[in-house]
Amino acid sequence: MKILVAVKRVVDYNVKVRAKADGTGADTANAKMSINPFCEIAVEEAVRLKEKGVATEIVAISIGAKQSQEQIRTALALGADRGILVETDTDLEPLAVAKCLKAIVDKETPDLVILGKQSIDGDNNQTGQMLGALAGMPQGTFASEVNVAEGKVKVTREIDGGLQTVALNLPAIVTTDLRLNEPRYASLPNIMKAKKKPLETVTPADLGVDTATRVKLLKVAPPAERQAGIKVADVAELVEKLKNEAKVI
Amino acid sequence: MAILVIAEHDNASLKGATLNTVAAAQAIGGDIELLVAGTDCGAAAEAAAKVAGVAKVLVADNAAYAHGLAENLGLLIAELGKNYSHILAPATTGGKNVLPRAAALLDVQAISDITGIESADTFQRPIYAGNVIATVQSTDAIKVITVRGTAFDAVAAEGGSASVETVSAAHDAGISSFVGEELAKSDRPELTSAKIVISGGRGMQNGDNFELLYKVADKLGAAVGASRAAVDAGFVPNDMQVGQTGKIVAPDMYVAVGISGAIQHLAGMKDSKVIVAINKDEEAPIFQVADYGLVADLFDAVPELDSKL
């Protein structure tokens, strides 16, 4: 079976992003960029399915500026077979991203599409579900376990009260949660090999996708800052403060 | 202008997050209608009719809507939602699962996890793990929104007298099915609505040591949470995770025990009214947001705290 994996270039998870002073956006200039952590988990899951003999081909897709090639190369180094970059300098919204992916799904006809459950920049948690709707495919979101058998995929999902398992007809969408797997590191030989793997570039216009912004960003601001409080000397003082000063117990 | 709120429920009763979402709908303004979709969900629908501020309850009682399967519910919400100016759901795993699916069917760019309302089309939401608050304006005809419960005070669960209407539409996409679930059972309050939350991190060292926290929690009527590190290490189950990608909490008091305070954890709890941190590393970033910090070995401090309460 063929698996599509979507990967997004985002500011590295260790970087503390701040609002620009003029309120026009987040200040990400010169920030370290990485593959979105949930997307990395998606790539790893696809690679494991290939190693188990379930999958035969993995196509990594990224949608973004030219530099997103780096994240596709990362996915190729981890074990994806080829890449597709949907190149655009516009910061696409999840619905437009889902429409681009839908166009690629129509062309590639994968059996499984694996995406991260959210990207750590926009924190939207929408793209996989939207792709499911547009492509008429079932979705296993927030996955902590994925098993493909007998023409279906069983997905165990992390939900508020615990875990839920659903069975989905193929082709299906899976979005990854943190505990699905622990991604491997790419080895140097694999990084070298990845440079030779095919990478095709298309544009949203080639795919017939309208990328007009639906939700306008009016301004950004820093969150209300918390002031660091005091250090207490011992448990007795802590209990005293909580009782008499904070009055929370 | 009418607002459709998707109720979160277990067929027998409403989940608390529904009440916060109705509060957000009130802040937008307009007639509020509550959709209760499930199987044998009459009791939940009755509870929904009593919620303050709700004009009408729509009940879609059908086997297809059991277990919140997004493939079926998404079709239902998209069909009903055409007649509303806004569709709101709690930003729980249930709401996050189904609402973007319905939004795409309506060709709407959804807005996730709002924490503030400026007008009927302009909202605030956190991005970059809550380090930036964005004000965004929707240009879509229908606004499809998930609501962060901790940002809106719940409306009263009683006092309303909404009319109840049955929705006969049965959407069964036939492409997914429920296999099973393992739900955590606990007598403690729910994490997202508890007045006090005590969370443990990697410093707890193992799952058994969480017993120390449970004891204190039971004395205080608190819920127990965990950092991602503690969940990843297998100390406790995933539904206890507080953080950017776990649960968002904002209790009156949050006690962080053996938690260093990564950005992603702070994103889930920094709106708590009072934050207490117990950590033996005095450089831990958690102390930068804590109102009361205690630099101590948690294995000494927590039992002592337990004895002094």
Side-chain angles (χ1 to χ4, degrees):
Chain A
M1 67 189 260
K2 188 199 275 192
I3 301 180
L4 294 194
V5 185
V7 296
K8 184 173 183 186
R9 175 182 173 88
V10 298
V11 173
D12 188 82
Y13 77 100
N14 281 310
V15 176
K16 184 171 178 182
V17 174
R18 290 174 199 281
K20 282 187 201 163
D22 65 4
T24 54
D27 187 1
T28 55
N30 305 319
K32 183 186 176 201
M33 303 299 283
S34 298
I35 185 170
N36 180 48
F38 291 99
C39 302
E40 199 173 8
I41 294 170
V43 175
E44 175 67 32
E45 195 64 20
V47 173
R48 289 186 189 190
L49 286 168
K50 193 175 171 190
E51 286 170 347
K52 277 191 224 162
V54 175
T56 47
E57 188 186 21
I58 302 169
V59 184
I61 303 161
S62 192
I63 300 169
K66 199 176 188 67
Q67 295 90 323
S68 297
Q69 280 185 6
E70 291 167 23
Q71 280 62 47
I72 294 177
R73 292 290 174 202
T74 303
L76 297 174
L78 291 170
D81 297 294
R82 60 189 169 90
I84 301 173
L85 171 64
V86 181
E87 192 177 333
T88 169
D89 288 326
T90 315
D91 197 8
L92 297 196
E93 293 171 338
L95 183 61
V97 170
K99 286 177 179 176
C100 290
L101 292 173
K102 160 74 165 58
I104 294 173
V105 163
D106 285 346
K107 190 164 154 255
E108 296 280 345
T109 60
D111 302 284
L112 203 56
V113 185
I114 312 182
L115 310 89
K117 75 166 180 179
Q118 76 191 65
S119 61
I120 59 165
D121 47 4
D123 282 337
N124 281 302
N125 195 334
Q126 295 178 358
T127 302
Q129 295 88 314
M130 288 183 153
L131 176 59
L134 299 176
M137 286 156 69
Q139 64 189 49
T141 53
F142 327 143
S144 65
E145 201 181 331
V146 173
N147 287 302
V148 180
E150 295 156 12
K152 292 200 180 204
V153 55
K154 266 191 196 170
V155 181
T156 300
R157 310 175 51 235
E158 296 199 358
I159 60 171
D160 285 335
L163 298 170
Q164 181 196 55
T165 304
V166 290
L168 311 175
N169 291 2
L170 296 176
I173 310 276
V174 170
T175 78
T176 63
D177 216 317
L178 292 169
R179 280 160 286 276
L180 181 56
N181 59 51
E182 224 169 287
R184 69 195 67 190
Y185 291 98
S187 67
L188 191 58
N190 284 342
I191 292 171
M192 299 312 287
K193 262 190 253 168
K195 291 182 179 170
K196 297 202 182 81
K197 291 183 178 174
L199 199 170
E200 172 194 354
T201 299
V202 296
T203 66
D206 295 339
L207 301 173
V209 175
D210 170 15
T211 60
T213 300
R214 308 285 196 90
V215 175
K216 287 191 266 184
L217 180 67
L218 299 184
K219 64 170 191 247
V220 301
E225 276 299 319
R226 280 194 89 95
Q227 297 298 321
I230 57 161
K231 291 249 171 76
V232 293
D234 51 32
V235 172
E237 189 189 349
L238 176 63
V239 172
E240 189 273 320
K241 294 275 188 203
L242 292 177
K243 274 191 177 144
N244 301 319
E245 194 175 274
K247 296 189 170 61
V248 282
I249 56 171
Chain B
M1 204 160 71
I3 301 174
L4 181 66
V5 174
I6 315 304
E8 180 133 328
H9 64 89
D10 59 5
N11 295 316
S13 62
L14 284 185
K15 300 273 184 184
T18 306
L19 303 177
N20 305 88
T21 308
V22 170
Q26 282 184 336
I28 292 168
D31 284 341
I32 299 170
E33 302 186 6
L34 207 47
L35 171 64
V36 178
T39 308
D40 297 326
C41 56
E46 263 176 50
K50 291 183 192 147
V51 173
V54 175
K56 196 199 276 184
V57 173
L58 305 176
V59 187
D61 197 332
N62 192 291
Y65 306 134
H67 310 293
L69 289 177
E71 296 74 17
N72 303 342
L73 274 181
L75 292 169
L76 174 69
I77 294 168
E79 185 202 307
L80 297 175
K82 283 185 196 128
N83 306 316
Y84 296 83
S85 60
H86 296 74
I87 307 172
L88 269 58
T92 53
T93 50
K96 290 174 185 172
N97 186 42
V98 71
L99 215 63
R101 193 164 177 116
L105 293 172
L106 291 165
D107 195 31
V108 167
Q109 175 52 56
I111 302 180
S112 298
D113 218 10
I114 64 161
T115 54
I117 293 164
E118 288 200 357
S119 71
D121 66 3
T122 304
F123 311 95
Q124 271 141 11
R125 61 177 302 268
I127 54 175
Y128 290 100
N131 288 309
V132 177
I133 306 297
T135 302
V136 297
Q137 182 178 37
S138 169
T139 59
D140 282 310
I142 304 173
K143 324 300 180 204
V144 180
I145 295 165
T146 58
V147 174
R148 179 175 292 193
T150 54
F152 298 89
D153 290 331
V155 298
E158 303 275 341
S161 55
S163 61
V164 178
E165 192 177 295
T166 304
V167 175
S168 54
H171 290 283
D172 188 353
I175 50 178
S176 60
S177 60
F178 171 80
V179 175
E181 62 192 2
E182 290 170 48
L183 298 181
K185 286 198 183 70
S186 169
D187 296 331
R188 295 184 192 91
E190 209 185 330
L191 251 182
T192 51
S193 56
K195 296 265 184 248
I196 301 178
V197 173
I198 302 177
S199 290
R202 199 195 306 269
M204 298 303 297
Q205 294 180 0
N206 60 50
D208 292 342
N209 289 337
F210 267 74
E211 203 53 47
L212 297 170
L213 305 187
Y214 295 138
K215 276 199 202 158
V216 177
D218 289 342
K219 278 195 180 163
L220 294 172
V224 177
S227 70
R228 177 187 168 186
V231 178
D232 281 359
F235 300 171
V236 289
N238 63 281
D239 56 288
M240 286 170 66
Q241 186 182 327
V242 172
Q244 180 185 14
T245 61
K247 292 203 171 70
I248 310 287
V249 302
D252 292 341
M253 176 165 79
Y254 186 86
V255 186
V257 179
I259 292 177
S260 64
I263 297 170
Q264 291 78 11
H265 186 74
L266 300 184
M269 47 61 82
K270 68 187 161 83
D271 292 327
S272 307
K273 290 198 182 78
V274 173
I275 297 176
V276 176
I278 300 173
N279 201 303
K280 64 181 175 189
D281 172 14
E282 63 177 319
E283 301 296 322
I286 191 76
F287 287 121
Q288 290 165 18
V289 299
D291 299 284
Y292 301 104
L294 175 62
V295 180
D297 187 328
L298 72 92
F299 295 105
D300 300 327
V302 176
E304 195 184 339
L305 180 63
D306 183 32
S307 70
K308 285 196 160 61
L309 289 171

